[in-house]
Amino acid sequence: IACFKLEYKISIGNELNMEKLRIVGGNKLSGSISCSGAKNAALPMLAATILTDQKITFKNLPYLQDITTMFEILGSMGAEITLNEGMDFIISTSKLHDFEARYELVKTMRASILVLGSLVARYGFARIALPGGCAIGTRPVDFHLDALAKLGAKIELKNGYIEATAKKLIGCDINFPGVSVTGTENIMMAAVLAKGQTILRNVAKEPEVEDLANFLNSMGAKIKGAGSDEIIIDGVDNLNGTKFSIPADRIEAGTYLVAAAITGGNVTISNVQAPRMNNILDKLKLSGATINIGKDNIQLSMKKGSILPVDISTAPFPGFPTDMQAQFTVLNALSKGSSVVTENVFENRFMHVQELNRMGCDITVKGSNAFVKGVGSLNGAPVMATDLRASASLILAGLCANGETIVDRIYHIDRGYERIEEKLSYLGADITR
Ligand code: UD1
């Protein structure tokens, strides 16, 4: 953690963090960058380290604020986290003495709830602060709690905390009332050490759910069907340590591809898995981009000023990811025509629109739709980031805007993008922290 803090000057959940990004727009992006490990794959795997007393080694763990927050949670419980010379992280949870995720940490990252399933499965007890409302809607955790109760845990809500207890979880048949990514992951982690078989229906099919299943199976779990609607888990008594490399972040890669498209650039992103990005790549092609897919890279080129509008409607995987909605709103805002962007996964996920309109976009939000009229150019402005992907969209807009854009509250961007200003500078953007 100290290494993270020193190198990237990230401060944990510090509302007073005064860092800003300054972008001078107009540069075409070109060149090649490497994609980092996926935040949403890494977070549940870190939570799953609780399931074994043996050491787990992670390769390609991204340097992100959310990862640091998960380290803080594990560290506060007694986990040992070390970094070896090869920059692999080695985690041991063999000496956990506390089974609690405190409010100060949970409030900065809702995904903290991911430790619930592992703690109850391994130690029979967990105390996790209830995540409050957040910038992109209410985001309840009822699916997680109801499913854990079906596995036999007693759930109580006390003083703003969830307390879950169980002597031994018992496998059962669970039908999720709605599709939840972290809900599926949490219950998968709980069920791997349960007695007997658990069948999870109506689960999330996101690639990161499959990644977690592969990770848990490499620890000795018996999980089948991840990536489909139904996951079958045969409980085991113990899990082993393992060595695992975090797969590439499809949302990070998608964000840089949009950056290339809107600046009329030519960019190659390496270390990616293109098949899990079809929903994003198909829309980029419809917007007029030329895309070449290599063995583990994607190259995108686009003629400046030739973006075609594309309607977007977000949905659970394999649908279009809500985490790319804000970035495609900017792409459409710079297109030659009108489009509709529909947000179906979260309520209230158009907070970037007001800030984008201050930069000259013409976007009207009505309910879950944003009606976007393409404009020829944008103007730089001081803007404020409101959540992770919203901040990405403001940076993208800044890359194309005339003059200077200052993005405030960039601690949101550090939660999910590794060294964004370094990567963009490397591609030729004028951006400084
Ligand atoms: C995960 C991702 C996030 C992404 C989202 C949707 C991680 C760490 N985060 O978030 O980046 O934007 O998936 O792809 O992987 N819901 C309930 N009750 C619940 C759980 C969810 O009603 O108990 C609702 C939510 O309010 C939302 C929808 O289900 O409307 C989907 O949310 P969910 O898939 O759970 O999102 P997260 O797992 O939090």
Side-chain angles (χ1 to χ4, degrees), residues 248-311:
D249 194 319
R250 62 198 166 99
I251 305 300
E252 189 206 24
T255 303
Y256 288 115
L257 291 177
V258 172
I262 57 176
T263 59
N266 186 342
V267 165
T268 301
I269 318 282
S270 61
N271 292 327
V272 288
Q273 289 162 280
R276 53 174 66 183
M277 292 180 63
N278 282 338
N279 42 17
I280 300 169
L281 299 177
D282 289 348
K283 290 292 180 185
L284 283 168
K285 284 180 199 157
L286 286 175
S287 78
T290 303
I291 292 182
N292 293 310
I293 296 174
K295 192 169 153 266
D296 69 347
N297 62 53
I298 302 171
Q299 182 208 4
L300 179 146
S301 60
M302 182 88 146
K303 237 203 233 144
K304 194 158 189 160
S306 66
I307 304 168
L308 302 171
V310 280
D311 288 344

Side-chain angles (χ1 to χ4, degrees), residues 135 325-326 329-330 333 348-366 369-372 378-387 390-391 393-394 397 405 409:
Q325 179 259 102
T329 303
V330 175
N348 199 17
R349 203 176 193 179
F350 283 125
M351 307 239 292
H352 43 287
V353 165
Q354 274 188 339
E355 295 298 274
L356 291 174
N357 283 346
R358 291 182 51 246
M359 297 177 74
C361 291
D362 184 347
I363 308 170
T364 311
V365 175
K366 283 192 186 138
N369 293 316
F371 298 91
V372 187
L378 301 179
N379 298 312
V383 287
M384 186 116 84
T386 48
D387 72 49
S391 355
S393 75
L394 299 178
T405 296
R409 300 205 176 164

Side-chain angles (χ1 to χ4, degrees), residues 173-244:
D173 201 320
I174 296 168
N175 193 1
F176 283 97
V179 178
S180 166
V181 177
T182 49
T184 302
E185 293 165 345
N186 224 344
I187 301 309
M188 213 158 80
M189 289 187 271
V192 286
L193 291 181
K195 186 164 185 281
Q197 190 174 72
T198 301
I199 303 181
L200 304 179
R201 302 178 203 274
N202 194 29
V203 293
K205 295 181 286 222
E206 265 65 7
E208 293 75 23
V209 172
E210 239 183 302
D211 294 335
L212 176 64
N214 291 338
F215 172 72
L216 291 167
N217 284 342
S218 78
M219 294 168 73
K222 292 192 175 149
I223 304 172
K224 280 189 227 142
S228 75
D229 286 316
E230 194 175 293
I231 298 178
I232 300 173
I233 303 158
D234 285 308
V236 295
D237 290 336
N238 297 297
L239 292 176
N240 329 314
T242 188
K243 204 179 231 190
F244 205 84

Side-chain angles (χ1 to χ4, degrees), residues 311-315 320 322 325 329 339-346 350 367-371:
D311 288 344
I312 297 292
S313 183
T314 66
F320 187 86
T322 173
Q325 179 259 102
T329 303
S339 55
V340 184
V341 174
T342 308
E343 175 54 58
N344 297 306
V345 178
F346 291 113
F350 283 125
S368 58
N369 293 316
F371 298 91

Side-chain angles (χ1 to χ4, degrees), residues 9-25:
K9 299 195 186 107
I10 290 168
S11 51
I12 307 281
N14 181 359
E15 295 288 326
L16 297 174
N17 185 334
M18 297 302 283
E19 289 181 358
K20 298 174 197 215
L21 286 173
R22 173 181 182 270
I23 306 157
V24 180

